[in-house]
């Protein structure tokens, strides 16, 4: 008689807070948990550094996955320089979902998803019948304050990009807010230049841009940067007034949440 296949437990880390919190939460509960990271080749240096620290904390390897062993640039050439966008998000499909599903193969898998109890979304649901999503944070009622506590008590803390950006993902991610592009310009001018160079692929009407209605060349002008900063400060002041009686942790968490909601993207944490 054929023996049944063993169920594998897999957590796809994104270099963000929620998937890292799950890794901490489950480290001693599921000893054979496999950790993977779908690498686009275009993540922030802070993300790669954070993943190295997470790996050291876990004491287990985080397997780096790439579709066909190739990163973003290869897939961009195949698409003749057609940049991904919220409407044409080929990057997530090619660089996050496909490598993950290929790694899983046909084995029965419990796939751990970083969605909290205070979120109303499903995240990535595979069409492959052998992949079953599991939501440990949501199922155990853990909210964002619990995530921050887990990160703090583990000693890992927040990823360094949190000083100027709200989530992991490619440095040129089109879901970024303008203030985060300004953060990229100031923290990684060389990556901002690299992001600009992608916008030069097309010409005239076919010219692509990461941000709707303006190019990065326009966005980096000092007067435009000042305007973006002022708009952001006004928004933060409104937020602060609304949360005046709450703790600093809540305020910080809400700020992050507001950005995430506006960006409408948390996918690359599959
Ligand atoms: S982080 Fe943004 S650009 Fe990168 S794969 Fe995800 S959606 Fe695409």
């Amino acid at each position: 008689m054929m023996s049944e296949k063993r169920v594998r437990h897999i957590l796809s880390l994104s270099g963000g807070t929620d998937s890292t919190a799950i890794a901490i939460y489950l480290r001693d509960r599921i000893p054979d948990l496999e950790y993977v990271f779908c690498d686009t080749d275009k993540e922030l240096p802070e993300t790669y550094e954070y993943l190295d620290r997470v790996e050291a904390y876990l004491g287990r390897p985080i397997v780096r996955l790439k579709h066909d062993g190739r990163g973003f640039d290869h897939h961009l050439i195949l698409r003749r320089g057609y940049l991904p966008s919220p409407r044409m998000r080929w990057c997530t499909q090619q660089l996050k979902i496909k490598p993950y599903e290929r790694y899983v193969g046909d084995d029965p898998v419990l796939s751990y998803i970083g969605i909290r109890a205070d979120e109303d979304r499903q995240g990535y649901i595979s069409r492959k019948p052998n992949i079953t999503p599991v939501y440990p944070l949501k199922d155990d009622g853990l909210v964002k304050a619990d995530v921050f506590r887990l990160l703090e008590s583990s000693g890992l803390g927040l990823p360094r990009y949190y000083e100027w950006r709200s989530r992991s993902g490619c440095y040129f991610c089109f879901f970024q807010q303008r203030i985060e592009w300004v953060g990229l310009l100031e923290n990684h001018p060389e990556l901002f230049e690299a992001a600009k160079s992608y916008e030069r692929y097309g010409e005239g009407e076919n010219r692509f841009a990461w941000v709707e209605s303006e190019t990065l060349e326009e966005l980096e002008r000092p007067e435009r940067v000042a305007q973006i900063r002022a708009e952001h400060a006004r928004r933060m002041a409104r937020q602060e007034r609304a949360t005046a009686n709450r703790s600093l942790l809540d305020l910080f968490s809400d700020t992050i949440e507001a950005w995430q909601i506006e960006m409408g993207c948390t996918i690359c944490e599959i």
Side-chain angles (χ1 to χ4, degrees):
M1 203 172 91
M2 294 265 291
S3 63
E4 280 197 8
K5 272 188 169 176
R6 181 181 70 89
V7 176
R8 291 165 65 193
H9 300 260
I10 306 181
L11 169 62
S12 177
L13 291 154
S14 68
T17 52
D18 293 343
S19 60
T20 304
I22 294 192
I24 297 165
Y25 193 57
L26 298 182
R27 183 184 70 167
D28 300 325
R29 299 170 195 223
I30 306 178
D32 59 347
L33 186 58
E34 298 171 46
Y35 305 99
V36 301
F37 170 66
C38 298
D39 190 357
T40 63
D41 262 354
K42 303 293 171 184
E43 312 283 335
L44 291 163
E46 292 96 323
T47 303
Y48 291 118
E49 183 262 340
Y50 194 58
L51 284 166
D52 288 344
R53 288 203 290 121
V54 173
E55 193 168 45
Y57 170 85
L58 295 171
R60 300 269 309 282
I62 298 172
V63 180
R64 270 68 167 176
L65 303 177
K66 282 184 193 173
H67 182 203
D68 293 336
R70 320 264 195 142
F72 179 87
D73 289 342
H74 170 74
H75 292 277
L76 186 65
I77 290 166
L78 292 182
R79 284 160 186 78
R80 299 171 185 220
Y82 199 97
L83 292 180
S85 68
R87 280 175 294 282
M88 195 60 78
R89 208 159 107 200
W90 56 259
C91 49
T92 306
Q93 184 63 30
Q94 298 299 325
L95 299 164
K96 296 285 180 181
I97 295 175
K98 276 198 177 169
Y100 181 71
E101 293 190 341
R102 188 167 293 181
Y103 175 79
V104 165
D106 294 325
D107 295 337
V109 157
L110 292 181
S111 181
Y112 292 81
I113 314 275
I115 295 183
R116 307 183 312 261
D118 54 349
E119 288 183 291
D120 187 19
R121 65 183 181 97
Q122 279 195 310
Y124 156 70
I125 304 280
S126 176
R127 280 197 288 270
K128 293 188 75 165
N130 55 314
I131 300 180
T132 307
V134 188
Y135 304 92
L137 300 179
K138 199 180 190 86
D139 292 349
D140 291 354
L142 301 188
V143 297
K144 60 191 168 191
D146 299 308
V147 163
F148 284 117
R149 263 181 224 113
L150 278 166
L151 296 175
E152 215 45 61
S153 60
S154 71
L156 285 168
L158 295 169
R160 276 193 305 115
Y161 58 73
Y162 259 59
E163 290 162 17
W164 57 276
R165 179 171 153 153
S166 61
R167 59 183 290 273
S168 58
C170 305
Y171 65 81
F172 47 55
C173 184
F174 43 86
F175 280 110
Q176 282 179 93
Q177 278 207 310
R178 285 175 170 79
I179 191 68
E180 294 177 302
W181 281 107
V182 171
L184 183 69
L185 177 63
E186 291 184 343
N187 289 278
H188 297 292
E190 73 296 349
L191 294 182
F192 190 91
E193 279 305 310
K196 263 166 67 181
S197 70
Y198 284 105
E199 292 191 331
R200 296 191 195 110
Y201 268 96
E203 293 295 336
E205 283 187 2
N206 292 326
R207 185 152 187 184
F208 303 125
W210 292 112
V211 185
E212 205 171 339
S213 73
E214 67 185 324
T215 64
L216 293 183
E217 235 169 81
E218 290 161 342
L219 187 147
E220 73 175 336
R221 291 195 318 258
E223 61 277 19
R224 181 65 181 127
V225 167
Q227 194 182 27
I228 292 168
R229 284 192 177 293
E231 280 165 13
H232 178 67
R234 276 197 295 278
R235 182 150 19 101
M236 290 300 102
R238 277 201 301 276
Q239 180 95 24
E240 204 166 334
R241 278 197 297 279
T243 53
N245 295 323
R246 296 168 63 190
S247 73
L248 262 182
L249 176 63
D250 282 347
L251 181 62
F252 183 51
S253 308
D254 278 357
T255 303
I256 291 166
E257 194 73 1
W259 291 12
Q260 285 179 330
I261 287 166
E262 283 180 30
M263 287 192 306
C265 167
T266 39
I267 6 77
C268 286
E269 201 154 291
I270 59 176

